[in-house]
């Protein structure tokens, strides 16, 4: 029943076994939406699908922080969603020993029409908190995000930074043993970012596992033990963070001459350290 | 549990509008009663008292249409909620069906009002009323799973459903009783699952409806089949739903 089934006896925290997933292509096609839809109903065209990730095999041990290095469209968000189980693979299998909390644009799920308290219940619920747990943690979340005074105010048009901070605090309050983080390892203004760092460093020390996708090499260097390099949906390499960043930079330079096209022809040279 | 919490927060917003959940179906019953019973004087349409006959079917009908048309939209514009939701995907559908059901339960005083106006009391077979609610719930849940997952694949389904609903309103014994339709068509009516459900709602007031028990059996069977098919189709389409999120 549950979206992300767990495998209790698993050795590593998370294990990808030749995982592949097709996703609908997101570019707009010619010929108007209505006509396209009619065609699709008539069975003339199948919607284009591309392999967003294919042949990914790796595993993550308890307490590791793994950097997912790759540019836009390399499949890193797909990988994180698969890890958390909010996406089901078309081939291969994802096994996890503990629940993995997806921190993927959590702020977008906040509801304007709800109060901050209701949002904590709602988004916390999405991320796997029971109502009782959410109730217990409301105070802590409010304190961390500095919103104690406005718990029962509607979120309404709160500025993005407030939304980000609230989303971050809720996600971390799930007290999960593993997180799949897209971009938002630390958010907010300088002071708040410092608070975030303190918190995640502490969690890391406590053996919490992180998967981090980001555009910031600095975050990778500061936070991650090792790295996985993604390129056009294929797992190109695994290794240390500096190696991975170097590889990524080099491939990007090459990519400017010949843009990486056709993710379908993904080379399955997954695994294997550098 | 979460659904309950969800409902609570939703209902807080609409508490002012509670009166409307009563007034709307009541108004509709009265209008239809006025048109068919008073203006057209169709004495042999449905069963008497006609006002009660109408209102007891209109409420479940409303629940049905609202719930099902909401399921066509359930996976649209979720603002990335599905991307981070660790909850079972079925919950989104269950939530729609459950919240429309609560609306339905809250509007039940309309039936009491109609009973008072027509001075009618139900017989012992009224015990089937809760059974009808249960059957309708499971039927709607199955159909909701089916429609919600299909409408992700075929976005036009929402419009088709709207038309089918309109047709179904006239094809179902809301305005009339199935004893009103020609005998040779009656067996076909049995294949409409709503026939059985609405029959169960009415049986408490009009025990003579039990004659058509064979038809009920078929249409209840179809309810069960819908439930099973809904679950199977949903299972198969779930990866697809998540991809579109």
């Amino acid at each position: 029943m549950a979206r992300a089934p767990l495998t209790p006896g698993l050795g590593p925290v998370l294990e990808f076994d030749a995982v592949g997933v097709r996703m609908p292509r997101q570019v707009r096609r010619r010929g108007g939406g209505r006509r396209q839809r009619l065609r699709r109903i008539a069975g003339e065209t199948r919607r284009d699908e591309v392999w967003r990730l294919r042949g990914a095999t790796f595993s993550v041990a308890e307490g590791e922080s793994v950097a997912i290095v790759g540019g836009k469209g390399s499949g890193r968000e797909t990988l994180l969603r698969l890890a958390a189980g909010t996406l089901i693979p078309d081939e291969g299998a994802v096994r996890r020993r503990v629940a993995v909390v997806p921190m993927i644009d959590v702020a977008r799920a906040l509801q304007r029409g709800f109060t901050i308290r209701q949002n904590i219940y709602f988004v916390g619920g999405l991320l796997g908190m029971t109502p009782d747990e959410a109730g217990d943690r409301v105070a802590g979340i409010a304190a961390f995000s500095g919103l104690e005074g406005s718990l029962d105010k509607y979120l309404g048009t709160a500025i993005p930074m407030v939304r980000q901070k609230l989303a971050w605090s809720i996600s971390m309050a799930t007290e999960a043993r593993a997180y799949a983080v897209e971009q938002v390892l630390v958010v907010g203004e300088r002071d708040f970012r410092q608070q975030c760092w303190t918190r995640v460093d502490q969690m890391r020390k406590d053996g919490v596992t992180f998967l981090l996708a980001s555009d910031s090499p600095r975050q990778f260097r500061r936070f991650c033990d090792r790295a996985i390099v993604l390129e056009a949906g294929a797992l190109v390499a695994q290794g240390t963070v500096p190696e991975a960043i170097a590889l990524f930079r080099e491939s990007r330079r090459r990519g400017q001459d010949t843009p990486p096209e056709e993710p379908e022809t993904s080379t399955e040279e997954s695994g294997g350290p550098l | 549990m979460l659904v309950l919490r969800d409902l609570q927060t939703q209902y807080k917003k609409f508490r002012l509008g509670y009166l409307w959940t009563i007034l709307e179906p009541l108004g509709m019953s009265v209008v239809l009663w006025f048109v068919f019973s008073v203006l057209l004087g169709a004495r042999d349409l449905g069963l008497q008292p006609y006002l009660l006959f109408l209102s007891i079917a209109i409420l479940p009908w409303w629940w049905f249409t609202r719930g099902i048309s909401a399921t066509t939209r359930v996976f649209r514009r979720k603002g990335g909620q599905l991307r981070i939701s660790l909850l079972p995907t079925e919950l989104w559908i269950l939530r729609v069906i459950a919240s429309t059901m609560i609306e339905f339960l809250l509007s039940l005083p309309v039936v009491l009002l109609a009973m008072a106006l027509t001075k009618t009391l139900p017989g012992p077979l009224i015990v089937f009323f809760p059974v009808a609610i249960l059957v309708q719930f499971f039927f709607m849940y199955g159909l909701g799973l089916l429609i919600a997952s299909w409408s992700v694949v075929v976005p036009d389904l929402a419009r088709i459903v709207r038309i089918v609903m309109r047709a179904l309103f006239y094809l179902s014994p809301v305005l009339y009783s199935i004893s009103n339709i020609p005998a040779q068509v009656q067996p076909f009516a049995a294949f409409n699952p709503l026939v059985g459900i609405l029959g169960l709602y009415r049986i408490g007031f009009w025990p003579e409806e039990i004659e058509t028990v064979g038809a009920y059996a078929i249409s209840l069977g179809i309810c069960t089949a819908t439930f099973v098919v809904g679950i199977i189709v949903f299972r198969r389409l779930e990866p697809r739903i998540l991809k579109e999120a």
Side-chain angles (χ1 to χ4, degrees):
Chain A
M1 181 83 171
R3 166 80 65 70
L6 304 179
T7 321
L10 199 69
V13 163
L14 181 71
E15 191 175 71
F16 272 54
D17 184 8
V19 172
V21 68
R22 283 187 304 265
M23 296 282 270
R25 200 193 282 275
Q26 284 184 338
V27 286
R28 291 240 171 272
R29 280 139 301 148
R30 274 167 286 145
R34 191 158 296 198
R35 205 158 112 205
Q36 286 288 347
R37 267 184 256 150
L38 277 175
R39 283 208 187 119
R40 215 182 311 140
I41 294 169
E44 273 182 49
T45 52
R46 249 176 77 86
R47 234 174 128 173
D48 296 7
E49 290 194 320
V50 287
W51 285 98
R52 196 60 68 71
L53 190 72
R54 195 157 200 198
T57 304
F58 66 94
S59 66
V60 180
E62 174 131 38
E64 267 190 315
S65 296
V66 180
I68 314 294
V69 184
K72 288 210 162 53
S74 61
R76 56 187 189 189
E77 188 191 325
T78 308
L79 187 141
L80 293 181
R81 284 183 66 190
L82 284 163
T86 65
L87 201 60
I88 298 171
D90 290 314
E91 48 175 49
V94 178
R95 284 179 283 270
R96 53 189 85 71
R97 195 176 68 204
V98 297
V100 180
V101 167
M103 283 178 72
I104 304 163
D105 212 354
V106 177
R108 223 177 109 206
L110 294 169
Q111 302 289 302
R112 281 163 186 268
F114 285 179
T115 64
I116 294 192
R117 189 189 301 274
Q118 289 167 342
N119 265 305
I120 292 176
Y121 279 105
F122 178 69
V123 175
L126 288 181
L127 296 176
M129 277 190 235
T130 67
D132 288 342
E133 283 170 345
D136 292 342
R137 292 168 195 173
V138 163
I141 292 168
F144 195 87
S145 51
L147 292 166
E148 297 105 321
S150 37
L151 260 180
D152 291 307
K153 289 209 182 99
Y154 286 94
L155 189 65
T157 51
I159 57 169
M161 193 184 277
V162 171
R163 296 171 65 97
Q164 286 280 345
K165 281 158 73 169
L166 180 60
W168 195 93
S169 312
I170 297 173
S171 327
M172 287 305 174
T174 51
E175 291 174 15
R177 299 298 295 164
Y179 290 88
V181 188
E182 156 94 286
Q183 304 285 6
V184 289
L185 186 63
V186 291
V187 296
E189 73 281 343
R190 182 183 279 269
D191 286 351
F192 194 78
R193 283 211 298 274
Q194 197 49 54
Q195 263 181 293
C196 293
W197 277 123
T198 322
R199 179 83 170 261
V200 290
D201 283 338
Q202 183 57 43
M203 290 168 80
R204 215 179 130 201
K205 226 174 280 164
D206 294 340
V208 177
T209 310
F210 285 92
L211 282 176
L212 172 66
S214 166
D215 282 326
S216 152
R218 269 172 64 200
Q219 277 188 14
F220 287 148
R221 285 206 195 89
R222 186 185 179 300
F223 195 72
C224 297
D225 307 312
R226 65 187 182 93
I228 286 172
V229 184
L230 285 180
E231 203 181 302
L235 207 157
V236 185
Q238 300 190 39
T240 64
V241 175
E243 283 170 339
I245 292 171
L247 188 76
F248 171 62
R249 289 210 166 122
E250 196 205 322
S251 80
R252 191 143 76 173
R253 231 178 340 238
R254 262 188 290 119
Q256 275 162 359
D257 309 331
T258 49
E261 267 298 319
E262 294 306 306
E264 283 98 331
T265 57
S266 65
T267 47
E268 293 193 22
E269 41 179 313
S270 52
L274 282 167
Chain B
M1 268 209 300
L2 245 145
V3 177
L4 279 180
R5 176 67 65 180
D6 219 32
L7 278 170
Q8 246 181 358
T9 51
Q10 260 195 336
Y11 258 83
K12 259 178 212 150
K13 244 194 329 193
F14 298 123
R15 184 159 302 159
L16 275 178
Y18 168 64
L19 227 78
W20 282 114
T21 46
I22 287 195
L23 285 180
E24 236 173 322
L26 186 68
M28 187 139 160
S29 311
V30 169
V31 167
L32 287 173
W33 166 76
F34 187 74
V35 169
F36 284 98
S37 200
V38 179
L39 279 187
L40 295 177
R43 282 268 156 239
D44 50 348
L45 185 67
L47 300 160
Q48 298 303 326
Y50 193 57
L51 182 63
L52 179 63
F53 180 83
L54 262 179
S55 65
I56 206 169
I58 277 181
L59 296 180
W61 171 257
W62 270 50
W63 172 23
F64 181 72
T65 35
R66 288 195 168 198
I68 294 304
S69 56
T71 55
T72 60
R73 296 183 299 262
V74 72
F75 292 125
R76 294 268 178 80
R77 283 189 284 277
K78 273 281 166 255
Q81 286 168 27
L82 277 177
R83 286 171 197 226
I84 60 163
S85 163
L86 295 177
L87 301 172
T89 321
E90 298 93 317
L91 266 189
W92 296 102
I93 295 153
L94 200 60
R95 170 189 164 187
V96 167
I97 308 289
S99 67
T100 44
M101 178 175 86
I102 287 177
E103 227 173 305
F104 160 70
L105 293 178
L106 289 176
S107 67
L108 279 182
V110 172
V111 174
L112 294 179
L113 202 66
M115 275 164 60
L117 284 175
T118 55
K119 302 192 181 60
T120 323
L121 280 177
L125 285 174
I126 192 74
V127 293
F128 281 107
F129 198 88
V131 176
I133 296 179
L134 207 68
V135 172
Q136 188 177 356
F137 181 82
F138 280 108
F139 171 60
M140 282 180 65
Y141 182 50
L143 193 63
L145 286 173
L146 195 70
I147 288 178
S149 41
W150 258 352
S151 58
V152 169
V153 182
V154 188
D156 308 62
L157 197 67
R159 284 157 195 263
I160 298 171
V161 165
R162 225 182 295 161
I163 297 170
V164 171
M165 285 300 195
R166 188 48 56 87
L168 214 53
F169 179 69
Y170 295 105
L171 289 176
S172 305
V174 178
L175 298 172
Y176 52 87
S177 144
I178 59 168
S179 42
N180 284 137
I181 55 178
Q184 60 270 44
V185 194
Q186 272 188 22
F188 295 105
F191 287 97
N192 178 354
L194 288 172
V195 170
I197 293 171
L198 294 177
L200 282 179
Y201 279 115
R202 279 174 175 156
I203 212 166
F205 293 93
W206 297 274
E208 62 270 28
E209 286 273 277
I210 209 161
E211 286 164 26
T212 38
V213 73
Y216 291 172
I218 295 178
S219 83
L220 294 183
I222 289 183
C223 289
T224 321
T226 312
F227 183 65
V228 173
V229 170
I231 287 180
I232 293 170
V233 169
F234 180 79
R235 280 267 161 279
R236 298 216 14 218
L237 287 179
E238 191 179 5
R240 191 61 200 278
I241 296 170
L242 295 177
K243 283 178 190 177
E244 299 279 345

